[in-house]
Every structure is written in C-alpha cells, then in structure tokens.
Amino acid sequence: MIESILPAAVTAVDTFVDPPDATLFRDEEAVIRMAVDKRRREFTTARWCARQAMGRLGRPPAPILPGARGEPQWPEGLVGSITHCAGYRGAVVAERGQVTTVGIDAEPDEPLANGILAAISLPEERDRIAVLQHDHPAVSWDRMLFSAKESVYKAWFPLTGRWLDFEDAKVVLDPLTGTFTAGLLVSAPWVQGRKLTGFSGRWLARNGLIVTAITVLAPAGARIQPAGRRVAARRPR
C-alpha cells in the first residue's frame, strides 16, 4: 500500500498480517525478550518487512537494532524507516547514494483522543484541521496531521540526531493532491549544499488506515553535513 506514495528509489514492503515464519536475529531477540506479545509481533514483523525490502535491493539479511533512542539502525549504505499500528506493519529501504533520508508513518483512520490535537499542533494548524474536517469529512484530519508530523521526525532524526517537538514543524495538508508540506521552525542541518528548512511529503487514506511518507532524494555527489548530536526520546519503532 505505502509504495504508491513513494518514489521508485525507495523499496517498500508492508503487510496486514504477522507472518508465522518471521524470525529475529539473536541480538534483536535480546532487545525484545521482555516485551509483551503485541510489541513482539510489531517488532518482529516490521523487521521481516525490512529484510524483505533489503533483499529486493540485493542486500543480505541483517539485524536492525534500535539505537539509543529507539530509532532503527540500518546496515552501512542504507537508509530506511519502519512503522506499525494495529493491523499494519511496513518498512522502506533505499541506497544512501540515491536517498538522503526517508520517514514513514501509519495510523488508524480514526480521530485522536481528546486533548491530543491541542498537544501536537499549532493554533493555525488546528484552524486548518477544522476546515478540512468540515469540507472533507471522510478522513480523520487530526490523525493525518499527527501522522505527517511523525514522518517529519523520522526523516529529520537521521540527519541531525536531534529532538524535534511536534510544535517545531508547521504542517499544511492538501486534501486534493494527497501531499503535505512541513516547514521547520528550528535550526536545521545543511543538506545537499543548502540549509534544510522543511520537507514535502505524500499521504494516503485507505483500508481504514492513514499512511504518510517523506523522501529526500540525494543528487549525485551530494554530501550531508549533520547538525549537533543532541538527542531525546520519542516513540520507538
């Protein structure tokens, strides 16, 4: 499903079930040994998706361990992103020479719980969400905003190693084109010879799910100059 909102340079594998033959490497097993069944299934199937995608790139299976803040650590030369929610798991992978960074997120197409929108949005974003919900009620736009901001963070973190709060990016969702933009409201890294001031992404609402994706393609010869390495926890994948 998610491949439809990603460029050809990114390889995607997703699933609506947990394959019974999905297994973990020993180091991955050690990470998840104390987890409840739900978390174990999410972790295992997401990594199964990632290894399927790696195989399509001609890469051998390899462990994908969480970093210090929960972020997936990809084999040398690869970039990628992982997501999971109830009834869905997905992973995307690309060669670093073709893609600078990628971030994906999946959520149920359901309204956020009371109080969450106010906690993750700017006043002008809430105003736009109210208009979208009135004009296009078939989609849970508050949840779409949340998902887009998760994708922003997942694309941002590999470039910077830095925390990005929900209110540090201003997202504008386009209901007609299936796209969104995210303007960064904090100091950003230099990427591909210029300062990264924002991201553009795509979204999809289908099968009771919302998925969002951001891809920054890497021009030939581009070099990334990451900003400082201040880190903070966020929802691990």
Side-chain angles (χ1 to χ4, degrees):
M1 185 168 87
I2 201 169
E3 71 275 2
S4 65
I5 58 171
L6 290 161
V10 179
T11 299
V13 173
D14 55 8
T15 179
F16 297 93
V17 299
D18 295 315
D21 59 343
T23 59
L24 296 173
F25 281 84
R26 181 178 299 177
D27 289 347
E28 294 171 329
E29 189 68 48
V31 169
I32 206 73
R33 67 182 183 278
M34 301 297 291
V36 299
D37 181 66
K38 176 178 179 293
R39 172 61 176 154
R40 170 178 286 276
R41 287 186 286 107
E42 291 172 342
F43 185 95
T44 302
T45 302
R47 277 149 180 80
W48 178 88
C49 290
R51 282 189 271 275
Q52 295 293 310
M54 289 163 56
R56 294 180 186 181
L57 291 178
R59 295 282 190 137
I64 304 163
L65 300 175
R69 305 300 174 182
E71 74 284 2
Q73 299 182 97
W74 299 96
E76 183 68 27
L78 293 180
V79 298
S81 187
I82 285 172
T83 190
H84 48 72
C85 66
Y88 180 82
R89 292 71 161 102
V92 299
V93 180
E95 298 287 350
R96 186 176 296 277
Q98 297 182 342
V99 174
T100 298
T101 190
V102 60
I104 64 169
D105 186 70
E107 304 287 337
D109 190 356
E110 301 170 354
L112 294 171
N114 288 340
I116 300 299
L117 179 61
I120 62 98
S121 63
L122 300 164
E124 55 265 46
E125 291 175 326
R126 292 193 289 277
D127 290 343
R128 285 194 292 268
I129 291 300
V131 173
L132 288 170
Q133 289 175 333
H134 178 271
D135 293 346
H136 305 275
V139 175
S140 299
W141 293 103
D142 54 348
R143 183 78 68 164
M144 184 75 74
L145 179 67
F146 177 87
S147 181
K149 291 200 173 194
E150 286 289 298
S151 286
V152 168
Y153 180 79
K154 292 179 182 181
W156 157 275
F157 188 83
L159 300 177
T160 66
R162 291 163 47 194
W163 169 258
L164 189 74
D165 203 350
F166 284 108
E167 296 183 355
D168 291 335
K170 182 166 63 177
V171 171
V172 177
L173 300 162
D174 189 320
L176 302 180
T177 63
T179 62
F180 64 92
T181 59
L184 296 172
L185 306 180
V186 296
S187 175
W190 287 85
V191 178
Q192 301 165 3
R194 61 183 180 180
K195 202 160 191 178
L196 180 67
T197 58
F199 296 99
S200 60
R202 300 180 66 190
W203 63 264
L204 179 68
R206 184 186 297 168
N207 299 331
L209 295 169
I210 284 168
V211 292
T212 58
I214 289 171
T215 306
V216 178
L217 298 175
R223 293 180 61 85
I224 304 171
Q225 299 177 11
R229 297 295 297 175
R230 181 171 61 87
V231 296
R234 186 142 177 176
R235 183 170 67 181
R237 294 298 196 190

